[in-house]
Each structure stands twice: as C-alpha cells, then as structure tokens.
C-alpha cells in the first residue's frame, strides 16, 4: 500500500500542470485531491481574492499589477504606480475587494511607497486614496495582510520593519494587527480609543483569516519558531521578548508552532473545516484541522511539488486556490515561474 501511495503521488507530481487526481486509497489524506494549474508565467501572486462574478483577482508584488483570473484567462486590471519595491518583501501586497464592488469597482490595497507602507482604497483604473499611512517599512518585515473580517471592518497585519522596538510600542503601527473602517478610522471595540491598533508584539505577520468570529494570523519567527496566533483584542504576542511559546506574564502564546525551516507561513484560509497555510520556507501547504476553537496537528501537503507557496484563498466553486512565490529574491536560484493552482484538498 505504501508503495502504491508513493507511486501515485510521484505520477501526479509529474503532471502537475494538468488535472491530476490521486485515488483516495492511494494517498495519505482523508479524501482524493485534484489539482489544476489555472495560470502560469506570473510574478509572485501575493494575495488572491474573488469578485462578485466568481472570478479571481490578485496582486503581483514586484510588478505592482492587479490582475483578474477568469477560468484560465488572465487580464490586467491596473498597475499601482505609487507602489515601490523594497528589494526584499515589500511592494504591492494585500488585497480586499470592496463590499460594494458591483457599484464602485473598488478594492483596498496594502503597498510599500518610498516612505512607508500604507493602505488605500482604489477604484480600478484610478488613483489610490490612502486611508492608513505611516506603517513602518524596511527591506524585510513589511507584513502586508489585508482582509475584511466578519465584523465588517478591515484588518491588516504589519511587520516590525526590522526594528524590534516597534512591536511593543502602542504608538507605532509596526508589528501589529490593525482594525479600522473603510475610511481608515479606528474600529469600534479597539482596545485604545482613537487607535487602529488591535494587538501588539508581532514580528512579521502576513496572513489572516477567521473561524467563525475568531481571527487567526500567521507569523514568521526569527531563529527557531514560526506561528499561528489566535488574535484577541489588546493582547501582546511577545515579540521580541518571546519567539514561540514562553512563560512571560502578560504575553500570549501561539496556537500552533513549527520549526521555521518547515514553514515560513504566509497566506492562511479556512476551507472545509481546516486552516490551510502557505509555506515559503517549507515549500508546502500546511493543513491544520479545526474542531471548534481547537486546532489539530498540522499535516503537510504538496511538499516540494510547487516550491514556495504564498497566497491561499477558498474559491466560490468550492476549491482552494494557491499561488507560488518562486521568483521571490529570497528563493532558490533557477526556480520556475509562478502560478496559481486550484485543488480539491
């Protein structure tokens, strides 16, 4: 049986660019997986969302383009001229589709500029209208996650911009979870009046999603430990005092941890009662079962099959989409171009 599983998986990897199904009896997971490349020749599709018509929309970090994916057809919607590369992890990052897209043709974007990271509302084809500015930026640790929460507010994940002091400073927007309305005003219920800061003590969080009304965010560790954190108002997630679990009063331990050679967690999404996490260092997807408020033991999927996996998004058709990050300057030399793949995982 083990030999058949290995043979089936090897055959599937060899034809990964086309529809590929591993029979349920020939794989380690609980159900058959189908995977199909929807688009290739991309350049770091950093965040994937969906439009009201069911088509995908995504950002490319280093080209600063916003593109649409309908079936297997890619079209360019906009180029964010105000965005700038940091020569590392900055550029055009997070994306959230306006709740009134059908009438305003607008999205919200998280991007790096010459002076800061910022969040803007963008009517496609128009000029970004900044709503949150002054998020610290550097070559690395720019965060970049941007999503609408179930509460109707926008949430953003910000990095410490390689200045660890930012993470513990309530007056800095770096190393934080931010929560605000579509005009950039602090959300009701934020822990401090007149502040968009929701939690502190983060190093470089990127992805964020929800199980019911509970938020979970991925976070890159430093030397040893990567994390998923359960995000709760006003809590301190420890950086730079703690990496992974610790016993320091007033600091909150993560819900899930990995050795940082196995993860490098980026995008995160809830799909079929599990959290799916893209891993750029570990070159795989991690599936984390969800049972109420309990997260189970992570399971590795697609290890090495697609290289660095960054963006993750549940599609309206019931599949899971993911985007690769193999052209990232931090990746292996000679890696293939990037793609978006759908899977029935």
């Amino acid at each position: 049986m083990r030999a058949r599983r290995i043979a089936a998986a090897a055959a599937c990897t060899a034809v990964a660019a086309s529809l590929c199904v591993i029979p349920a009896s020939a794989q380690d997971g609980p159900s058959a997986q189908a995977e199909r490349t929807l688009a290739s020749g991309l350049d770091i599709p950093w965040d994937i969302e969906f439009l009201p018509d069911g088509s995908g929309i995504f950002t490319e970090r280093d080209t600063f383009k916003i593109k649409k994916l309908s079936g297997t057809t890619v079209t360019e919607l906009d180029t964010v001229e105000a965005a700038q590369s940091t020569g590392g992890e900055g550029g055009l990052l997070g994306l959230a589709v306006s709740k009134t897209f059908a009438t305003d043709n607008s999205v919200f974007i998280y991007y790096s500029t010459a002076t800061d990271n910022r969040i803007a509302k963008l009517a496609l084809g128009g000029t970004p209208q900044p709503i949150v500015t002054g998020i610290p930026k550097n070559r690395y640790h720019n965060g970049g996650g941007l999503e609408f929460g179930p509460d109707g507010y926008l949430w953003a994940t910000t990095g410490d911009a390689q200045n660890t002091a930012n993470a513990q400073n309530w007056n800095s927007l770096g190393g934080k979870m931010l929560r605000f309305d579509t005009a950039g005003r602090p959300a009701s219920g934020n822990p401090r009046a007149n502040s968009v800061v929701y939690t502190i003590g983060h190093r470089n969080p990127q992805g964020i999603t929800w199980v019911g009304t509970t938020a979970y965010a991925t976070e890159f560790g430093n030397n040893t430990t990567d994390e998923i954190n359960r995000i709760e108002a006003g809590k301190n997630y420890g950086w730079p005092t703690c990496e992974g679990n610790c016993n320091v009063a007033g600091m909150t331990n993560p819900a899930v941890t990995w050795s940082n050679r196995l993860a490098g967690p980026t995008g995160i999404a809830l799909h079929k009662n599990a959290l799916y996490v893209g891993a750029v260092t570990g070159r795989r997807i991690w599936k984390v079962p969800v049972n109420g408020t309990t997260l189970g033991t992570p399971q590795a999927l697609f290890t090495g099959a697609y290289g660095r996996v960054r963006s993750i998004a549940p599609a309206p058709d019931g599949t899971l989409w993911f985007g690769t990050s193999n052209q990232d300057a931090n990746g292996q030399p000679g890696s293939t171009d990037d793609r978006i793949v759908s899977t029935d995982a």
Side-chain angles (χ1 to χ4, degrees):
M1 180 64 72
R2 176 175 172 79
R4 289 198 299 271
R5 287 199 300 267
I6 293 172
C12 225
T13 300
V15 294
S18 61
L19 184 64
C20 178
V21 179
I22 304 175
S25 61
Q27 61 161 1
D28 294 327
S31 62
Q33 295 175 358
E35 54 198 279
R36 183 166 66 106
T37 293
L38 301 177
S40 59
L42 307 178
D43 192 342
I44 310 178
W46 204 96
D47 196 7
I48 302 170
E49 301 292 331
F50 293 90
L51 298 176
D53 66 3
S55 59
I57 182 173
F58 61 95
T59 54
E60 286 188 333
R61 190 190 70 187
D62 290 352
T63 67
F64 319 132
K65 294 183 183 297
I66 299 173
K67 296 182 176 180
K68 179 179 178 179
L69 176 55
S70 182
T72 58
T73 301
V74 177
T75 54
E76 293 185 15
L77 298 179
D78 207 340
T79 300
V80 181
E81 301 288 354
Q84 291 194 13
S85 172
T86 65
E89 296 171 345
L92 180 58
L93 305 175
L95 176 71
V97 176
S98 169
K99 297 298 184 182
T100 53
F101 182 88
T103 57
D104 63 19
N105 198 41
S106 293
V107 296
F108 294 85
I109 53 175
Y110 185 124
Y111 60 105
S112 308
T113 74
T115 58
D116 63 358
N117 289 304
R118 58 181 53 186
I119 295 156
K121 184 175 184 179
L122 173 66
L124 293 172
T127 302
Q129 303 299 311
I131 60 172
V132 176
T133 61
I135 301 168
K137 75 148 198 174
N138 210 317
R139 183 175 183 183
Y140 302 112
H141 301 191
N142 292 290
L146 183 64
E147 299 285 347
F148 275 101
D151 55 9
Y153 290 111
L154 283 162
W155 297 54
T157 68
T158 72
D160 68 7
Q162 297 179 273
N163 180 351
T164 59
N166 285 336
Q168 292 294 320
N169 179 1
W170 277 91
N171 294 318
S172 169
L173 298 184
K176 306 293 189 298
M177 295 290 154
L178 309 182
R179 181 170 169 264
F180 48 93
D181 68 12
T182 55
R185 297 173 299 222
S188 174
N190 279 7
R192 296 198 175 190
N194 302 315
S195 175
V196 296
V197 173
Y198 194 67
T199 63
I200 69 170
H202 301 281
R203 181 177 180 268
N204 191 24
Q206 291 192 353
I208 186 167
T209 195
W210 287 262
V211 177
T213 59
T214 302
Y216 290 91
T218 59
E219 184 158 344
F220 281 80
N222 185 26
N223 294 317
T224 61
T225 310
D226 292 332
E227 306 172 354
I228 296 177
N229 287 297
R230 183 179 294 111
I231 303 302
E232 298 176 276
K235 289 198 171 181
N236 182 342
Y237 290 84
W239 179 253
T241 302
C242 299
E243 179 181 357
N245 293 308
C246 69
N247 296 311
V248 178
M251 295 187 175
T252 301
N253 283 333
V256 174
T257 62
W258 296 270
S259 163
N260 59 12
R261 65 183 178 82
L262 297 177
T266 52
I268 184 172
L270 178 67
H271 176 68
K272 297 181 181 178
N273 297 315
L275 295 175
Y276 287 78
V277 177
V280 292
T281 307
R283 298 171 181 269
R284 67 195 70 188
I285 293 174
W286 285 104
K287 177 182 178 181
V288 184
V290 175
N291 183 6
T293 58
T294 301
L295 300 187
T297 301
Q299 306 164 20
L301 303 177
F302 307 123
T303 301
Y306 292 97
R308 298 162 57 88
V309 179
R310 182 170 296 277
S311 44
I312 298 272
D317 65 2
T319 62
L320 185 72
W321 287 20
F322 62 89
T324 67
S325 191
N326 292 314
Q327 292 194 82
D328 193 322
N330 302 311
Q332 293 291 329
S335 56
T336 59
D337 64 12
D338 289 321
R339 61 186 59 200
I340 290 176
V341 178
S342 71
T343 175
D344 292 338

